[in-house]
Structure formats: C-alpha cells, structure tokens
Amino acid sequence: MQIYQEPIHYQNPQLCLKVWQFAAAGDVDSAHQLQWHYHKEIEFILVLDGVHEIHTPSQNYILKPGEVMVLGSSQLHRGVTRKGKYVKYIVLHVDLEPYFDAAMMNYMGYFMEVLKPLDELNDILERNRSLQEEIGAIMQAIHDEVMGKEKGYEIAVSMHIKHLMLALLRHDDRNVLAAHQQVDASVIKPVIQYIDNHLGGKVDMAEVSKIAGMSYVYFSKYFKKKTGVSFTEYVNRKRIATAKRLLVMSDRTVSDIAGSVGLDNMAHFYELFKRFNGCTPKQFRDRMLN
C-alpha cells in the first residue's frame, strides 16, 4: 500500500476549491479508496446516504446520513467503502487563504493550524447535531452553486465559505481555534513558509527573526507567546509530521527519513517521534500499512 499527495483541480481557480458528489456501491475493494493520501486543502465531507468510513492515523470515523467531518491541511487519511455497502456523499476541498479579505484578516490566525489540525473540531461536530446540519446545508449550497454556475455564483460561494468559517468559530466551545487568535498572520505566515522550505536542513532562527522583522530575542519570546510553544518545539513538530508521511510513502529506512527531516541524531529522533505519536517509527509504519 502506498501514500500519495493528491492534486486538487479547482473547478474555478479564483474560488480555490473543488466540490463534488460521489456515489460508491462497494462491489469490489478499491485500491484507490484504500490508499492513504493528503493534500494542502482542507476537506469537508457530508454523507447523504449510506455509511462512509474515513480513517486517519489516530482515529476511524463512521459517518451516517447528515453527518459531517473536517480534515485539516496535509492530514493523512483514506476513505473506505465496505463491500456490499452503498454510500453517497459530498466532498469539499478548499484553500481558505484567498477568502481572508481586509474585513476577515483578523481571523486568519484561527484557521492557520499552527499547532492543531482542524481535525480536532470533529469532537465538536460529533456532539453538535445542529452544527452538522448547518455545515451540511452550506456544503450542499456550495455544491449546487458550483454545479449550476448561475450569474453571480462566485459571490454566493464566497459568502457560503465565510458562513462556514463563522459557524465553526461560534460553535468552537473547546477553543480549538481560539488558541491561535493572537497570531498575526502577516508575521507568522512567511515564517512558517521558511520553516517548511528548510525542514531538511538547518532552520536558522536568526534568519527567521529577520523575516519576521524582529530581533532574535524578541522573536523567540513573541513566537512562544503567540503559539504557546517554543520555536524549536514547533520546528520539531513539523519535522516529525513530515517524517510520518515519509514512513508510509516509501520503504526508506528510518535513519534515512530522520536525516531527510533534519534530525540526524537517531536517539533524539526516536524520542521526539514517540513523544508526539505515542509509538516508535516502526510501530507507526506497521500500523499504517497493515
């Protein structure tokens, strides 16, 4: 079994989303359905009929008609349709960044997933039926607008996406999103991009401080205050998240993967991996592939 980065082909590049309705009979076991994959877009799933399974590395979700779930950016997952079962569902892939205009910019930090993936909102969705109904109706409306392409549908879709974000914000009673409310997106975003581009080697905090327009000492304190973790801790989280994907994307050795994410000290790599995942790299690979 392999893992791949799924390319999402937007129906309208200006909207930065793809929404589609799927139906599967489950007559045969589909290798594509069982394949682990990820994409940078956030994904929302609404089941219309039947039962649909979504697996992530840490949890299996069983979705029934009317139920909704969300998957954060670049989160490993796979959908499973059991043999002999029928399911119909809507999938919405969306890059939220273009929807943050001047009026929305203050809320961009809520959805940047600096520390937590949006998957953690699924606990809220699971126990809040009215929220699922609200988001399900929004997803259906987005689907109908994109498929119908009536005059002004781009405006309607933009309004629906903002409605979706508002619904999540106002029902977030566990403060999954609020943990990032103080993050200045204009400062943190280029920092995160720099980190992502340099994970395989040295992530120079002095260079990052310059990118943020701050002194080394001030940036260190700023980052910890705004994100809740130290800069080093955040970089290590990103390194391990990348290592997790590589473990199931290829048959490369653990030591090779550790080196490719900038962690040449194997003892340190194992310690970090177990701290963040509760298992060793080999145990994680075996669980994902079997």
Side-chain angles (χ1 to χ4, degrees):
M1 193 179 299
Q2 296 179 334
I3 183 172
Y4 72 106
Q5 182 173 5
E6 179 184 6
I8 303 300
H9 303 292
Y10 300 145
Q11 289 139 315
N12 182 329
Q14 292 178 318
L15 292 175
C16 294
L17 61 77
K18 178 180 179 180
V19 60
W20 210 260
Q21 181 173 297
F22 294 89
D27 295 329
V28 295
D29 292 329
S30 169
H32 176 73
Q33 287 176 310
L34 296 175
Q35 194 168 12
W36 291 97
H37 63 283
Y38 67 99
H39 37 71
K40 72 179 184 66
E41 291 80 8
I42 295 166
E43 179 174 342
F44 292 87
I45 300 167
L46 164 66
V47 173
L48 302 173
D49 193 14
V51 177
H52 193 35
E53 285 187 41
I54 301 294
H55 295 181
T56 69
S58 60
Q59 191 167 349
N60 292 345
Y61 298 89
I62 309 297
L63 302 177
K64 299 175 182 178
E67 294 185 337
V68 172
M69 72 168 293
V70 58
L71 293 158
S73 174
S74 298
Q75 296 300 306
L76 289 173
H77 62 283
R78 66 178 180 178
V80 178
T81 303
R82 296 296 177 183
K83 188 174 182 179
K85 301 294 184 180
Y86 171 79
V87 63
K88 182 167 70 172
Y89 56 100
I90 291 176
V91 176
L92 168 65
H93 296 103
V94 59
D95 179 0
L96 294 177
E97 183 180 338
Y99 292 89
F100 291 97
D101 53 25
M104 289 277 293
M105 191 56 66
N106 288 341
Y107 296 94
M108 187 174 185
Y110 285 82
F111 295 91
M112 286 181 64
E113 301 182 280
V114 175
L115 293 179
K116 298 178 182 179
L118 292 181
D119 303 34
E120 296 198 14
L121 290 169
N122 288 317
D123 288 340
I124 298 169
L125 284 164
E126 186 176 3
R127 56 184 171 78
N128 191 329
R129 184 64 183 178
S130 64
L131 177 58
Q132 292 196 60
E133 291 175 354
E134 183 175 359
I135 292 180
I138 293 170
M139 291 178 63
Q140 185 70 67
I142 292 172
H143 173 270
D144 294 346
E145 289 287 351
V146 171
M147 293 298 106
K149 290 184 171 56
E150 293 187 18
K151 184 177 181 180
Y153 83 95
E154 300 94 340
I155 299 173
V157 169
S158 296
M159 293 171 59
H160 289 314
I161 292 294
K162 291 180 179 180
H163 181 188
L164 189 156
M165 288 190 281
L166 178 62
L168 293 174
L169 277 169
R170 290 192 169 173
H171 289 87
D172 178 21
D173 55 10
R174 288 185 54 229
N175 291 326
V176 173
L177 302 175
H180 313 316
Q181 62 181 303
Q182 300 299 323
V183 174
D184 185 339
S186 64
V187 173
I188 294 297
K189 184 181 174 184
V191 167
I192 291 175
Q193 289 177 336
Y194 175 88
I195 294 170
D196 289 343
N197 292 335
H198 292 81
L199 281 181
K202 180 182 179 182
V203 178
D204 190 342
M205 189 167 161
E207 182 63 29
V208 172
S209 302
K210 293 178 183 177
I211 292 172
M214 302 175 187
S215 70
Y216 184 99
V217 173
Y218 184 83
F219 174 76
S220 178
K221 294 178 179 178
Y222 173 89
F223 193 90
K224 176 71 178 288
K225 179 181 179 181
K226 298 301 184 182
T227 67
V229 298
S230 69
F231 181 77
T232 299
E233 172 83 354
Y234 175 77
V235 172
N236 284 335
R237 287 174 182 262
K238 297 284 282 189
R239 293 191 196 278
I240 296 302
T242 302
K244 285 170 62 178
R245 288 198 292 269
L246 293 175
L247 281 165
V248 286
M249 284 177 70
S250 68
D251 58 0
R252 294 165 62 182
T253 65
V254 173
S255 60
D256 184 33
I257 289 172
S260 71
V261 297
L263 293 169
D264 295 315
N265 184 318
M266 290 304 296
H268 186 45
F269 175 74
Y270 273 93
E271 187 273 326
L272 289 173
F273 196 96
K274 195 163 186 179
R275 187 205 306 172
F276 295 142
N277 300 290
C279 62
T280 67
K282 184 180 184 304
Q283 289 169 336
F284 177 80
R285 173 179 265 169
D286 289 345
R287 186 176 72 209
M288 291 290 289
L289 299 184
N290 298 320

